[in-house]
Amino acid sequence: MDYTPTPYIISHEAHFVCEILYEHGFDTIGLLNSRLFDSFWKGFSDYHQKEVVSYFVPKEVLPLLDLDRITTGNKEQQFFFRHVVGVPRDQTFLDKLYQVPFKDVPNKYFVLHLEFQTNGNLVFTIRMADYMLLRNLTDKSITYSMAIVGHKEGEYSNKYMVGTTENGIVAKFEDHIIKDLPESTYQRKGCIVSHALHAVWIQEHKNQFTQKELQEKYYKICQNVTSFDFDGTRYVSIILFVLKYALDCIPDTETFSTFVRKVLNLTPKISFMTIFEEIEANGE
C-alpha cells in the first residue's frame, strides 16, 4: 500500500500526550483550551484508513473497490491548493483525501474526501464548498465529499451557493452529524470507527450523564479497543483519540489521572513512550 501518514504526534502534542499518560502532572486547562481534536482525528484516520474508508464509502460502492490499494492526498497536492490556486482562505488544506481503485476497471478510482469538524458552522460550510469546487477544477475524477461534524451551529448547512442564483453553482456535500444520531449508531461491535465516533458522541451528550457514567462509557470503549489485533501505533492512535474526548468530560485532574492509569493497565505490554519516541525519530 502506497501510504505515508500525515504528521500528527510531533513537538507540543507529543509533550501533551506524554504528560497525560506518564507524568500525570499535566495542565488540564491548557490541554482543554488547545482543542486539538482535529489532529487526533488525523492520527487515527491515518493509521486506520481501510476501516475509515469502509465506514464512509456508500455501501453499494464498497464491494467494487480494492481497499488494499488506497492512496492518500500528499503534501504536493496540499501545496498546490494553497500556492498555485491561491484560495483566499486561512485553512485550505484537505483533511483527508482517499483515492481507491475499482477492482475490475483499470485506471478508475473512487475518491473520498473527508473533513472532521467539532462544530459545523457557516464558515465550515463555505470551506467545504471551496474544497469541492477546487477539486472539480483541478481533478475531474468523481469525488464523494463527507463532513463528519460533532454538532451544528448557526447557519450550518450541507450545501452552499457560490455566486448568484443567475450565475453560480450549488456545492452540496454529505454530512454525518454525530450529536443528532442515536447512541446505538456507535455501538457496533468489531467496528473501530464506530468506537472512535462513540467517544465524540459521549462528549456531545456529556451533560446527560453523571461523572461515573461518563467514565464507565469511555472505559468500555477502551476495553473494546483492546479486543482488536492492532500493532502498537494503531492501538495508540485510537486510545489517544478516545482519551482526548474523555479529558473534556472528566476535567478533574486527579480523577482523570486515575482513569488514565486504568486504561494503561488494559495493555501493559505496549510501551506508549517508546512509540512516541519512534514516531518523532522518524520525523512523522
Side-chain angles (χ1 to χ4, degrees), residues 11 99 121 148-149 156 159 167 201 248 251 280 284:
S11 63
Q99 183 172 271
N121 51 29
I148 308 163
V149 178
Y156 167 82
K159 60 183 178 181
N167 184 24
W201 187 95
D248 195 47
E280 289 191 308
E284 297 182 2

Side-chain angles (χ1 to χ4, degrees), residues 68-269:
D68 291 323
R69 294 196 293 133
I70 299 171
T71 56
T72 59
N74 55 31
K75 292 181 180 179
E76 288 73 21
Q77 183 179 42
Q78 293 179 339
F79 179 88
F80 178 85
F81 271 93
R82 178 176 288 274
H83 297 286
V84 179
V85 179
V87 182
R89 305 277 179 207
D90 291 335
Q91 300 181 24
T92 56
F93 294 103
L94 295 180
D95 218 356
K96 278 289 173 292
L97 191 68
Y98 299 103
Q99 183 172 271
V100 192
F102 282 85
K103 292 177 181 177
D104 301 322
V105 185
N107 302 316
K108 182 179 179 181
Y109 299 88
F110 184 91
V111 180
L112 175 64
H113 167 214
L114 294 179
E115 292 290 327
F116 182 87
Q117 183 78 8
T118 301
N119 57 310
N121 51 29
L122 180 60
V123 172
F124 175 71
T125 297
I126 295 172
R127 195 165 81 237
M128 282 292 291
D130 283 345
Y131 288 157
M132 295 178 68
L133 294 177
L134 282 172
R135 282 289 301 167
N136 289 335
L137 288 172
T138 60
D139 189 333
K140 297 305 180 183
S141 58
I142 297 174
T143 302
Y144 184 82
S145 291
M146 165 75 75
I148 308 163
V149 178
H151 61 271
K152 297 179 289 187
E153 287 186 356
E155 299 179 64
Y156 167 82
S157 173
N158 67 338
K159 60 183 178 181
Y160 185 76
M161 168 67 76
V162 179
T164 65
T165 53
E166 293 79 19
N167 184 24
I169 186 171
V170 175
K172 186 177 186 301
F173 53 91
E174 304 297 321
D175 59 1
H176 184 95
I177 311 298
I178 297 171
K179 185 175 183 178
D180 292 352
L181 294 170
E183 185 175 16
S184 58
T185 305
Y186 307 114
Q187 294 176 317
R188 290 167 50 186
K189 292 183 179 179
C191 179
I192 196 64
V193 179
S194 178
H195 292 314
L197 298 183
H198 192 195
V200 184
W201 187 95
I202 295 168
Q203 190 262 353
E204 290 289 347
H205 293 269
K206 64 182 180 180
N207 293 333
Q208 299 178 16
F209 304 107
T210 66
Q211 274 292 301
K212 181 181 178 181
E213 290 171 331
L214 289 169
Q215 293 175 49
E216 289 174 346
K217 285 179 176 293
Y218 279 114
Y219 187 71
K220 181 64 175 178
I221 293 176
C222 294
Q223 282 183 313
N224 290 332
V225 167
T226 62
S227 67
F228 291 84
D229 186 24
F230 292 146
D231 61 24
T233 309
R234 296 188 80 201
Y235 175 77
V236 167
S237 69
I238 175 62
I239 289 296
L240 292 184
F241 186 84
V242 174
L243 287 180
K244 185 65 181 73
Y245 282 89
L247 175 58
D248 195 47
C249 295
I250 312 171
D252 178 73
T253 302
E254 185 175 348
T255 303
F256 186 72
S257 177
T258 301
F259 175 79
V260 169
R261 290 192 194 96
K262 285 181 61 180
V263 171
L264 292 178
N265 287 335
L266 290 172
T267 54
K269 65 180 183 297

